[in-house]
Amino acid sequence: MNTIKHRAENLNNGGSVTVYYCGYEKCESGHSWGPAMRNQYLLHYVISGRGEYTVGGETYSLHPSECFLIRPGERTFYSADREDPWEYMWVAFDGFDVLEILRRTGLVSRYVASVENGGEFVRYLREMIDEFSQGGLFKVMSCFYGAMSVLEKSAHGGAYTREHEYVNKAIGYIKSNYGYPIQISDLARHIGIDRTYLYRIFTASENMSPKQYLMQVRINAAKKMLLAGTYSVGETALSCGFADSASFCGRFKRCTGMTPKEFIADSQKRRTEA
């Protein structure tokens, strides 16, 4: 057999993004997986060769310097070309901040993307695989975010526009101040631009308004606190920028479909069943 595999797994940091496993494979002719579903996001990068990826009734032909994304719960199938089977690297991940990562890398509504600086991308993935097998959590996450930064640059043509800088400043401000009763006017004033202009460029970049993004950050932060098991609902509400427990519980249910207590119970049940 000519198949070469390198796989590392079971390093879970429980943070806003968790890398579950990563690896490398030089596939044999016609090697395939599926149709089946994955439990996490799985990103493959094609180093050499060719293959096909099928999801949602669409089939994509993949070539070197391209990547394809598998989303959890979606039925997928992929196979190596019989004449020129692909060689690829992969990383499986999930977490509260994944949606933002997909937006920044251009994969929020796409399954396939080209990578402009493939050499740098591969270097990060190789380092991630090496560190993963040694249990180096911080280095693994550093390499993961490094690889995502390469995808982000590719999604923006390798350069950052002034509008992109404004959006990044807005996101940074929100993440640093979501626990305070900030207004979008505060955000625009901090960046030094008009509120209407901020709304337009932010919505175009993130597919949601600044206000919606702020609420998403608050709810995600609340989820982490609730799952920690050491904070009350009241403490969580005030820490995440809500005026009181009642307003927090109402907003949390509208966003998640569950009350905070139901969310905790559901999470505990899932861990027990896993």
Side-chain angles (χ1 to χ4, degrees):
M1 293 179 65
N2 296 322
T3 301
I4 301 174
K5 293 185 178 180
H6 186 162
R7 177 185 176 115
E9 56 187 323
N10 297 325
L11 182 64
N12 190 325
N13 68 333
S16 58
V17 175
T18 293
V19 172
Y20 287 92
Y21 55 90
C22 50
Y24 158 86
E25 184 168 358
K26 184 175 178 61
C27 297
E28 293 183 331
S29 173
H31 173 267
S32 64
W33 187 89
M37 296 184 295
R38 298 289 192 181
N39 294 325
Q40 298 96 25
Y41 290 88
L42 192 64
L43 184 69
H44 285 73
Y45 175 76
V46 182
I47 302 170
S48 65
R50 303 192 307 272
E52 290 187 341
Y53 172 47
T54 300
V55 59
E58 295 286 338
T59 297
Y60 302 89
S61 295
L62 276 298
H63 300 83
S65 298
E66 291 183 321
C67 61
F68 64 95
L69 178 69
I70 296 173
R71 292 182 171 86
E74 293 188 345
R75 186 172 181 267
T76 62
F77 174 80
Y78 52 98
S79 61
D81 186 80
R82 293 193 175 277
E83 295 183 359
D84 187 16
W86 53 17
E87 172 189 16
Y88 54 53
M89 307 175 84
W90 71 85
V91 55
F93 57 96
D94 208 342
F96 297 129
D97 284 345
V98 166
L99 188 58
E100 178 182 343
I101 289 173
L102 297 183
R103 286 196 184 96
R104 288 175 172 269
T105 57
L107 288 168
V108 68
S109 59
R110 300 169 58 193
Y111 289 98
V112 175
S114 296
V115 182
E116 289 188 358
N117 195 341
E120 184 181 8
F121 192 71
V122 167
R123 178 174 61 80
Y124 279 121
L125 292 182
R126 288 194 189 282
E127 289 183 16
M128 189 192 323
I129 293 170
D130 291 342
E131 290 293 332
F132 207 113
S133 61
Q134 300 176 42
L137 171 62
F138 296 119
K139 183 64 174 179
V140 166
M141 296 312 300
S142 173
C143 291
F144 174 79
Y145 283 113
M148 294 305 104
S149 72
V150 175
L151 287 184
E152 182 182 29
K153 290 179 182 178
S154 292
H156 292 275
Y160 295 103
T161 64
R162 179 64 62 86
E163 291 182 351
H164 190 213
E165 292 178 1
Y166 288 151
V167 171
N168 278 346
K169 285 183 179 179
I171 288 173
Y173 185 85
I174 288 173
K175 287 192 169 185
S176 298
N177 297 278
Y178 67 85
Y180 300 98
I182 60 175
Q183 302 293 325
I184 303 307
S185 56
D186 300 327
L187 183 59
R189 186 163 49 251
H190 169 75
I191 301 170
I193 60 176
D194 179 73
R195 175 175 174 163
T196 302
Y197 176 54
L198 171 62
Y199 175 89
R200 180 172 63 80
I201 63 174
F202 195 100
T203 304
S205 173
E206 304 300 310
N207 292 322
M208 65 175 69
S209 70
K211 186 175 181 179
Q212 290 171 325
Y213 187 89
L214 170 61
M215 185 55 61
Q216 177 180 274
V217 170
R218 283 174 169 167
I219 294 297
N220 285 342
K223 287 179 180 179
K224 296 176 197 176
M225 292 186 67
L226 292 172
L227 292 178
T230 55
Y231 305 100
S232 69
V233 171
E235 289 172 329
T236 300
L238 295 178
S239 299
C240 295
F242 295 91
D244 50 51
S245 297
S247 60
F248 166 61
C249 291
R251 177 63 67 176
F252 192 90
K253 186 168 185 177
R254 283 195 291 275
C255 292
T256 67
M258 294 180 282
T259 66
K261 291 184 178 180
E262 290 171 343
F263 173 77
I264 294 171
D266 181 69
S267 298
Q268 292 174 340
K269 180 181 178 182
R270 288 175 182 272
R271 284 198 294 267
T272 302
E273 294 176 347

